[in-house]
Amino acid sequence: MALPLMLWTGLFWATGWSEPLESISHYYYTRVSPVMVGTISVICLFLMIYKGKALADRILTTTAAIGGFLVVLFPTDNLTSNLNGAPTYISVTELPEVKARIVLHFASAGLFILSLALLSCFVFTLSDEGKPRTPRKILRNMVYRICGSVMLVSILVIAFQDRLFGTGHAIGMTFRGEAIAIWAFGFAWFVKGET
């Protein structure tokens, strides 16, 4: 849950730039890249080894892990083409623009967030067979479904932001949508883990 905040504040401390970048993925090209790559990789490793109770649990966590690993292995488009007024010195690296890499990145990011949303909506809500649902379980299920729905709405807003807000929308709209989706899943995961 701290990833968006760590990236944003880390880049601010390193460069003085206070606005969020266009997306979390664009931090790959900055001095805080190790934080982004390391955090996502650790989350994906955890999702990969997590067994869960149901087959759907294992399928969705493994799918999310694969999507997350692909996000860091195939970075998004260069930051220099998405600076939106940010100074060029915040970008410390650049890759050749390869359309296939960028398309794979977007598909992988969508798969990652979608898998986590489905996990929250449909797997976290499962009850042990033969066990009655208590009022607390009903409340937890409502939290899981709300969090999953927030994630799904975030994905849709990110995907259709130009149509919803026009091409002159606020800088960092994708970043904000991704942050909201991450926070929603983190909250659902904390509730599921009885934290």
Side-chain angles (χ1 to χ4, degrees):
M1 288 177 73
L3 178 63
L5 186 60
M6 288 188 311
L7 295 174
W8 180 51
T9 58
L11 187 63
F12 174 70
W13 285 333
T15 66
W17 181 250
S18 62
E19 293 294 321
L21 298 181
E22 182 56 34
S23 71
I24 287 174
S25 297
H26 281 103
Y27 284 86
Y28 178 88
Y29 297 102
T30 70
R31 295 187 185 282
V32 293
S33 175
V35 174
M36 185 207 119
V37 172
T39 303
I40 292 175
S41 297
V42 168
I43 290 167
C44 292
L45 184 61
F46 179 76
L47 289 169
M48 191 70 86
I49 62 174
Y50 177 74
K51 297 297 179 212
K53 293 182 180 180
L55 177 62
D57 208 346
R58 288 186 291 275
I59 290 170
L60 286 172
T61 55
T62 302
T63 302
I66 291 168
F69 280 131
L70 291 174
V71 163
V72 296
L73 289 174
F74 297 96
T76 190
D77 53 337
N78 286 314
L79 178 58
T80 51
S81 60
N82 289 283
L83 284 170
N84 295 327
T88 55
Y89 65 79
I90 67 171
S91 178
V92 294
T93 190
E94 198 168 298
L95 296 174
E97 290 289 339
V98 178
K99 186 74 170 164
R101 181 193 82 225
I102 296 165
V103 169
L104 182 58
H105 175 84
F106 289 134
S108 301
L111 180 68
F112 177 67
I113 295 175
L114 179 63
S115 298
L116 295 179
L118 294 175
L119 189 68
S120 183
C121 283
F122 300 110
V123 177
F124 286 0
T125 57
L126 296 175
S127 296
D128 292 334
E129 200 167 313
K131 206 173 178 184
R133 289 190 176 172
T134 64
R136 289 188 63 134
K137 175 61 176 167
I138 292 168
L139 178 62
R140 286 193 309 269
N141 284 353
M142 187 170 64
V143 168
Y144 302 143
R145 287 189 178 104
I146 290 170
C147 289
S149 298
V150 166
M151 293 177 72
L152 292 171
V153 168
S154 294
I155 292 170
L156 291 173
V157 169
I158 291 167
F160 298 106
Q161 62 184 302
D162 288 341
R163 290 186 181 177
L164 293 170
F165 306 107
T167 54
H169 59 274
I171 296 170
M173 181 66 77
T174 301
F175 176 87
R176 288 173 177 90
E178 291 167 339
I180 289 168
I182 288 169
W183 294 332
F185 182 74
F187 187 76
W189 189 269
F190 277 138
V191 171
K192 180 69 175 168
E194 299 177 8
T195 301

